Amino acid sequence: MQWRKTIVTPLAAVAVASLAALVVGLATLPFPRALLGAVLAALMTAATIEDWRNFRVPNPLNFSLAALGIAAFLLGIDPLGEDVTRSFLDVITDAALTGGSLLLVREVYLRLRGIEGLGLGDVKLGGAAGVWLGWQQFALVVFLGTLAALLFVLAKSRQQGHWPASARVPYASFLAPATWVGWYLVQWSNVPLF
């Protein structure tokens, strides 16, 4: 599939996304949150590129996302927000609920259609994102990611005349950026503007 080929060096893309997120973060968030945003942007960019190219999100990437979010929490900087009071059990519950919701979608689709519609890397990405976002904000992330994927399919269908039933969509390539956007919106909504 030619549309998946890119000429951007993955490391350069990760660096640019991280730097851009840091600049935006420094302009709008307290310093520790700006750093968290830059780390999250780097990981989400890496996930996007890997899924776009190979239809997979590697376990080390998902593990790093979850581990860095948990480490920040344990250091006293809850990735969800400054005014949030979550316990460690809440963080683990958030990860289980967000990953579990995508696992449920995966299993139902597999049982109904007999084909894998969502990869386990996407499920693990959802679980790791729960550490950063909480389960309440994850619905927005899934909505944004799914909307972007749908618009991509519609655009490709218009360009090609149809979308083959056997064609695959690299869903994490849309879910990962939506995760950063959702995280940033949650951070921004907690910052007083005046």
Side-chain angles (χ1 to χ4, degrees), residues 64-98:
S64 296
L65 178 63
L68 289 169
I70 290 171
F73 176 83
L74 293 175
L75 290 172
I77 305 169
D78 190 332
L80 185 54
E82 286 185 326
D83 299 332
V84 177
T85 53
R86 291 193 294 176
S87 69
F88 185 70
L89 181 59
D90 292 333
V91 173
I92 300 306
T93 301
D94 287 339
L97 289 173
T98 55

Side-chain angles (χ1 to χ4, degrees), residues 103-124:
L103 182 61
L104 178 63
V105 169
R106 171 192 159 82
E107 291 303 314
V108 168
Y109 189 82
L110 182 62
R111 305 262 187 260
L112 291 176
R113 300 286 311 267
I115 56 174
E116 184 181 285
L118 195 60
L120 285 174
D122 301 333
V123 171
K124 294 171 193 172

Side-chain angles (χ1 to χ4, degrees), residues 6 33 43 58 69 94 108 150 153:
T6 63
R33 301 235 162 255
L43 292 170
D94 287 339
V108 168
L150 178 61
V153 169

Side-chain angles (χ1 to χ4, degrees), residues 18-19 21-27 29-43 68 72 77 132 180 183 187:
S18 181
L19 184 59
L22 183 60
V23 168
V24 169
L26 289 173
L29 300 171
F31 183 71
R33 301 235 162 255
L35 287 178
L36 278 179
V39 168
L40 183 60
L43 292 170
L68 289 169
I77 305 169
W132 291 76
W180 184 84
W183 178 86
Q187 301 305 307

